[in-house]
Amino acid sequence: MKPKQLFSQLFDRRRDADERIFSLVSATAMVTLLTTMGIGSILLKKPEFLLSGGVSALVFGIIVLLSLRFHKASLGGIVIASLMIVLMIPANFFHFGGIAGGAPLWFTNYLLYVALIIKGKFRNFFAVLGVAVFAACTVLTILKPEWVRTYSDKERSYIIIASAAAVGFMVFAMVGFCMYILREKIEHSEEQAKEIAELNAAQNRFFSSMSHEIRTPINTIIGLNEMILREDTSPEIREDAENIQAASKMLLQTINDILDMSKFESGEMELTNSAYRTGDMLSDIVGMLWIRAREKNLEFRVDIAPDLPEELSGDEVRIKQILINVLNNGIKYTEKGSVTLQIQCERQEGNRVKMTYIVTDTGIGIKKENIPYLFTAFKRVDEEKNRYIEGTGLGLSIVKQLVDLMKGTISVNSVYTKGTTFVIELPQTIVSNAPIGEMRASRKNLSVEKKEYRQSFEAPEANVLVVDDTAANLMVVKKLLRDTKVRLTTASSGAEALEKTLDTAFHVILMDHMMPEMDGIECMHRIRAQAGGRSNEAKIIALTANAGGDMKANYAHEGFDGYLLKPVSGNDLERELIHALPPDLVHITNNDSTILEESVAWISDHQKKIPIAVTTESLADVPKSLAEKYGIAIISNKIITKDGLFRDGIDLDTRGLINYLQDNMDSDSVKDRAPDVPEYQEFFAQALDHANHVIHIAISRKVSKRGFKAANEAAEVFDNVTIFESCNLSAGQGLMAIEASRMAKEGKTVEEILAALEILRNRVTTTFVAGNIDYLVRAKLISAGLGNIVKSLMINPVLKVKNGMLKPSRVCIGSREKVWKKFIKATFDTLVPIDRSELFIAHVGLTHQELETIKKLVGQYVQFKVIYCKEVSTTIAVNCGDGSFGFIFKRTV
Ligand code: ADP
């Protein structure tokens, strides 16, 4: 090997690192040896030095080349170390003046060589051998001083200087190169880790898009197949259609399982914990599996301990998945007898509880030797026997990984041919400790007759819009809902949907997510915020092929009112619509309700109160859709006029009031009045009918002393009503109520919610520009004289909530357009960090066009994710007048 070749190999990343270090270290040793000996022989005039150095270097060189040639670097290292310690070190020791010469340095160098080149147990051996040889040499110099060659002081200095330089250079080269290789390796492994992460992400993207793409055509297959099943066809066609249905469902299950496995493999599987009602979760599971057991004429028993906490926090979707999988296996692998689900709990420290789910079947059982392989992916045990039972062997592997993720345990007991018991223990957090109560269900050998399809409801006056870019999907929904007689409109893009919602008030909108140009989420937000749109308040349900345990929660978080996964069945669609449509439009036609509802009935008696309800007042200006979504109960303020007393938002809307005031501008008799103590008491009592605790978000006491006082006095008679002063009014107050409800739904405690509201209270900006000075004069906020001056100068005051009071903060002068621009610039062109998630525009009598202009102007400074436009309550309108509007948003500090 030529020196150039050797050098290029040193920096060749593809070569083995040990070989590279061996080559470098050995080459350095050879060069140093030759140079030192050469210089030594000249300075000390001793040619034999050069000779011995040359011979040593030659021997080393031959060994190195042979080792590299045969890829035996470690053997080469051992041979060189042996030569060094047996021959070179002792010869060097006695030849160059013993302990007082350069020997200690060369010995140190030998140890470094051993540490860097020799691996495993040989390393320690050569280190010990080295120390022993060095000690022996030192002892020998004492016993036999004549064996040590002597030098003059000058010569010894030369020897020490030369040794120090040579050893120093070698240490530098050896350690430096090893560090270089180490850094190279770290870099390489970092690159590899990055590549793996990218690969994983690509694989995940592939699986989720594959799942999405496969779901879309299956939606058509299952949907149209359902239409065939609904028809009165021949038994043969019916059987074929049933087989198509079963095969499609099997395909779907496999897609779901593969998606989950890929998430586990890439480490992206995460739990989404939230509060859930134990009874509801169990009724869903029972409803789904009971029918399958019935189809196989198996008895399905459910035995639930009455002391289970009624509300828990955990990943409900994944717990359902675990139990459905194990119960499904029980049914699948049992030919006769029963499948039983038993649930018990053990309360632990704090608010923790250990839930135990026991699934027992009287099926084929599992051989003892197969039990260790049950949880292995793609492994189906006893394949010969199970040949005709569908399955991929993925189910239990996913179950086990989910249980592990939840820090639970799963164990199996089985007697071959007699039956199997799975015991699953999962730790959960208690949200409401009240016991769930008595629940037992046992359905025995009920035979299943194929029922003819009959639509579960009719709603000929209901307006439903379906938005989907795939024509086949639109057709499927249209056909599946045909018999319900709903007025169905279709839109094949977000833009088309927006056109239709502008003119038509839809009750429900079924929205696809993945659409080109404008996706379903953006479209939903734009429909909600569409100024002058007629479907602002529509219930919007995501109807998507995006599957995954956390999707339902994600869509709810985005603001959807429901989530339907494609492929969707007629039953799913009807069930979702029954809940989403206004009840007065729905005529139930199929009262021998579905099996699901039948099985749920035994649990619904035990429906309990929710832990926390949030209430507020009508002047909190919570948009109706949000109040409904978050279940916020609202007590109405009243407007007193000389023609009578009207409830805000119920008997009198803002438009009506403005018209009335235009005719009665100078009338002093129009006043707003907060509810009194008995009214508040009745309101709180009603809220407590379905909640354990009420948090009432009250108006700032500085704005309405009377209302705030009455609410507090009323709350005194209840133990569980907390009044929270919002220090705000209008949508600022509403925003706090919405936030409180969001937290209550997430299972937060009263204390946690109040603590968060304390912080939020100081982060809400509420600012209004008055549109009509006459109202401020009428409300006695400014005097009549000042009002005239202000009007003639075209001055518009801007009011802002500060320390719980609405105070004038600045004035904007000029035409209406100019005033708006100045007001918007002053509000949003600031360094104050704004939370961009939502903006509320509260206004009095602005048109669709005007609101769009305002939104555009705001958009020049801040892009909000959602903008809610809401006409203010009559109480607020009485005081600020036509043409006023304000902005309410959160700041992040
Ligand atoms: P599969 O899709 O095959 O059902 P699973 O992972 O759910 O995959 O189960 C793995 C194997 O464990 C099954 O193929 C079956 O042999 C066995 N098994 C699971 N549950 C039971 C049960 N309750 N009774 C008998 N065998 C079972």
Side-chain angles (χ1 to χ4, degrees), residues 281-311:
M281 182 191 79
L282 296 176
S283 66
D284 282 358
I285 294 172
V286 174
M288 196 179 259
L289 290 155
W290 174 54
I291 179 172
R292 286 194 201 153
R294 207 164 81 154
E295 276 167 355
K296 281 187 81 176
N297 279 340
L298 297 174
E299 188 182 347
F300 190 68
R301 297 194 196 131
V302 183
D303 181 357
I304 295 168
D307 66 334
L308 298 191
E310 66 166 4
E311 199 166 353

Side-chain angles (χ1 to χ4, degrees), residues 608-869:
K608 294 270 162 58
K609 294 176 180 178
I610 57 167
I612 302 166
V614 175
T615 60
T616 188
E617 298 137 7
S618 58
L619 49 66
D621 285 339
V622 182
K624 197 171 148 220
S625 61
L626 292 182
E628 262 175 30
K629 180 173 166 193
Y630 291 107
I632 302 171
I634 291 172
I635 186 166
S636 280
N637 265 25
K638 296 192 180 60
I639 304 292
I640 307 164
T641 69
K642 61 177 188 294
D643 298 313
L645 190 136
F646 302 95
R647 282 173 300 169
D648 183 351
I650 299 175
D651 308 319
L652 181 69
D653 66 5
T654 310
R655 205 74 323 264
L657 176 86
I658 300 280
N659 292 342
Y660 180 85
L661 283 176
Q662 266 158 11
D663 301 336
N664 302 276
M665 201 58 207
D666 48 357
S667 156
D668 261 358
S669 58
V670 180
K671 292 214 172 68
D672 62 285
R673 211 199 77 193
D676 54 23
V677 179
E679 282 165 342
Y680 268 119
Q681 274 173 355
E682 198 192 323
F683 174 68
F684 291 147
Q686 267 173 16
L688 284 170
D689 271 350
H690 64 94
N692 295 327
H693 200 112
V694 168
I695 298 180
H696 180 75
I697 310 294
I699 191 167
S700 165
R701 79 179 82 194
K702 290 178 186 158
V703 175
S704 168
K705 198 169 167 191
R706 197 171 166 272
F708 182 77
K709 214 171 135 221
N712 271 284
E713 245 180 86
E716 275 171 21
V717 300
F718 303 97
D719 275 345
N720 39 6
V721 174
T722 308
I723 306 290
F724 181 85
E725 187 190 355
S726 66
C727 288
N728 230 304
L729 74 162
S730 188
Q733 189 184 348
L735 201 145
M736 268 183 255
I738 292 164
E739 205 64 42
S741 275
R742 268 186 199 144
M743 283 189 279
K745 277 195 188 303
E746 282 165 14
K748 297 273 182 334
T749 62
V750 174
E751 291 72 28
E752 284 169 330
I753 296 174
L754 294 177
L757 288 178
E758 291 275 350
I759 298 171
L760 182 64
R761 182 157 59 186
N762 299 319
R763 292 186 179 176
V764 174
T765 294
T766 304
T767 175
F768 279 92
V769 64
N772 190 332
I773 307 301
D774 297 338
Y775 281 76
L776 296 179
V777 176
R778 207 191 53 77
K780 301 209 169 58
L781 288 173
I782 54 176
S783 70
L786 185 62
N788 284 335
I789 299 171
V790 163
K791 234 167 46 183
S792 60
L793 291 176
M794 292 170 73
I795 294 176
N796 284 62
V798 172
L799 305 157
K800 201 168 183 177
V801 174
K802 258 191 197 152
N803 301 328
M805 268 193 278
L806 195 60
K807 290 183 185 163
S809 76
R810 58 187 291 135
V811 288
C812 293
I813 304 172
S815 66
R816 192 172 153 105
E817 274 278 289
K818 265 200 190 134
V819 167
W820 284 9
K821 278 189 187 155
K822 279 185 196 160
F823 172 53
I824 291 168
K825 186 171 186 330
T827 309
F828 294 106
D829 191 12
T830 103
L831 292 176
V832 179
I834 291 172
D835 177 341
R836 288 153 192 255
S837 56
E838 53 203 354
L839 168 71
F840 291 82
I841 303 180
H843 67 98
V844 190
L846 293 191
T847 63
H848 165 66
Q849 219 53 45
E850 287 168 334
L851 285 165
E852 283 298 324
T853 312
I854 292 172
K855 279 203 239 169
K856 241 188 232 135
L857 290 172
V858 173
Q860 289 175 358
Y861 303 102
V862 183
Q863 292 286 341
F864 284 93
K865 213 164 150 202
V866 196
I867 302 182
Y868 296 101
C869 297

Side-chain angles (χ1 to χ4, degrees), residues 329 332-333 361 365-366 374 380-381 386 391-393 395-396 420:
N329 275 348
K332 221 161 59 168
Y333 297 104
D361 65 59
I366 305 163
L374 273 188
R380 304 198 66 207
V381 298
N386 297 341
T392 54
L396 283 182
T420 310

